[in-house]
Amino acid sequence: MPIPEEVTGDEIDKDVRQELQSLPKTLAEDVARNLVMVARLLDEDPEAAYGYSRVALRLASRVAAVREAAGFAAYANQKYGEALAEFRAARRMTGSVELWPVMADCERGLGRPEKALDMAGAPEVHKLDKAGQVEMRLVAAGARRDMDQLDAAIVTLQSPELASNSVQPWTARLRYAYADALLAAGREREAREWFAKAVESDRDGGTDASDRLAELDGVEFMDALDERGGEEGSASPAAEDDGEDGAKD
């Protein structure tokens, strides 16, 4: 797969670069460049990221960082069985528990929420850092919802991290998940309160909490044509110029 010339491979994390030192120099550079492309495209073009991950995997399957990248690329493409196999391989190589939550989420993706819950109660969870433990809680709550255990999902999310007033990287997602679970259980007033809290903590717009809150408040987004007072069936000058209709949010 083509890689832009400006991608040198030096962009990768220093820990990954150190892992690649076990490879011949030219091979290490090729693997590094493919890993950079995986990282760049994972969110915007997961299918392309997956392609680059397969190239890296073909070149250096015995490097843990490569197996991990391949796992995340497969996960982004909902290839949960493949992702789980790659994550397990990476974990065997490193001995780290860091991937435990996403491995559990793969079990959910494979239709095995009970297995995800078993993993949520495993000793490995206690070895996770705070962010990992919060992620595991989110996965466990999702597994409960998969099993139509809404009240249990709500209880699972109730934690010191949820109650804390400090904003951490996981705060918005945790509050959002709690609000969504409350809404699914028919507790609309409480759900609105927690969607509002999610909005307050969502500094980078990682969730659609503001849209969900507006929906609960009955806010409707009007067509730009309506806002200008245009008549039904008539086109605005801008629409006539570029051939595009007014867009609704």
Coordinates of all heavy atoms in Angstrom, one line a residue, residues 8 24 28 44 123 142 172 200 213:
T8 N 8.1 9.2 7.6 CA 9.4 8.6 7.7 C 9.4 7.4 8.7 O 10.4 6.6 8.7 CB 10.4 9.6 8.2 OG1 10.0 10.0 9.6 CG2 10.4 10.8 7.3
P24 N 16.1 -5.7 11.4 CA 17.1 -5.0 10.6 C 16.6 -3.6 10.3 O 15.4 -3.4 10.2 CB 17.1 -5.9 9.3 CG 16.6 -7.3 9.8 CD 15.7 -7.0 10.9
A28 N 12.8 -2.4 9.9 CA 12.2 -1.6 11.0 C 11.6 -0.3 10.5 O 10.5 0.1 10.9 CB 13.3 -1.3 12.0
E44 N -10.4 8.0 10.9 CA -11.1 8.6 9.7 C -11.3 7.6 8.6 O -12.2 7.7 7.8 CB -10.3 9.8 9.2 CG -8.9 9.4 8.7 CD -8.1 10.6 8.3 OE1 -7.8 11.5 9.2 OE2 -7.7 10.7 7.1
P123 N -8.9 -11.1 38.4 CA -7.8 -10.4 39.1 C -7.1 -9.4 38.3 O -6.5 -8.4 38.8 CB -6.9 -11.6 39.5 CG -7.8 -12.8 39.5 CD -8.7 -12.6 38.4
G142 N -21.9 -2.1 29.5 CA -22.4 -2.5 28.2 C -22.8 -3.9 28.1 O -23.8 -4.2 27.5
A172 N -16.3 12.4 30.7 CA -17.5 12.6 29.8 C -18.1 11.3 29.3 O -19.3 11.2 29.3 CB -17.0 13.5 28.6
E200 N -20.8 19.3 30.2 CA -19.9 20.1 30.9 C -18.5 19.6 30.9 O -17.5 20.4 30.9 CB -20.3 20.2 32.4 CG -21.6 21.0 32.6 CD -22.1 21.0 34.1 OE1 -21.4 20.3 34.9 OE2 -23.2 21.5 34.4
L213 N -28.9 16.0 24.8 CA -29.6 16.9 25.8 C -30.6 17.8 25.1 O -31.7 18.0 25.6 CB -28.5 17.8 26.4 CG -29.0 18.8 27.5 CD1 -29.6 18.0 28.7 CD2 -27.8 19.6 28.0

